[in-house]
Amino acid sequence: MQLHLPIKWHSTSIKTKNSTKYIYGFWSDPKQCQCSLFLTNFETVWAYELDKQTLTQKAKDLGVDELSPSTLSELLQSMENNVVAECLSFTYNEALDVFIASMEIELHWTLELKKLNLQNTISFFTKLNYQHSNNSDFLMFQVKQLKTLIEAKDSYNRFLVMNFKQSHGNEQIKRYWLNHKEDVDAIKQYEDLEWESYILKAYRERKKNMDKSEEQLCNIAIDIVISPNWDWLTSCRCNLRMEN
């Protein structure tokens, strides 16, 4: 069965013997009535998948008798909405090494996520790395475009200041600097190397002031990276085929 990586990921904390921080994501194709749910702690991957036949049977088991294609599509959309809104919970069955995901979609749905075998796990993390690389490339593109924009505005501001000094003198400019001392570093002419040095120093100070362990800092970083409400970029390589 052909599956796709989710393009929206969420972080959660689940107490197990090995770790507490996990990310999960839901993928669905309403037209084909297929869906999958992934959960990982970056070492192991658990997954649950449904095709049209198993989705229909599961709905019938819960007492839903009449299921048209449009109803199944709406059901999948409701499942995805629950995941996006983080309205689901996970419990771990240590004896079976499975996770049970519970969500309320008019009916109480439970999905049993089973551990992927080694081949599928490698495939999953390969695709996740491709996805992460695509997003890193996009963020670097954003930074580059932002730098170009800042440099253009910086040049225009220097032109305006020069003309202002010629027509009004330096007195008002000096007064502005005195009244906005906290903006001095931000307003002065942009220098790429100086800015990168400043950002690196500020980032190190931020981590130091948090007074957290490396594991805690890593968990915080995961929450920050996962939290933005935008779709992760995908590529043709972000598909994976589950092997039995």
Side-chain angles (χ1 to χ4, degrees), residues 160-174:
L160 293 178
V161 169
M162 180 183 66
N163 281 272
F164 185 88
K165 287 180 178 180
Q166 290 177 351
S167 58
H168 296 82
N170 293 334
E171 192 61 31
Q172 293 188 49
I173 297 292
K174 291 180 180 179

Side-chain angles (χ1 to χ4, degrees), residues 5-10 24-27 80 83-84 131 226 228-232:
L5 282 186
I7 57 174
K8 287 185 182 295
W9 292 96
H10 311 269
Y24 63 93
F26 181 82
W27 171 87
E80 184 166 2
V83 174
V84 171
Q131 196 178 67
I226 295 297
N229 187 26
W230 48 277
D231 292 349
W232 283 38

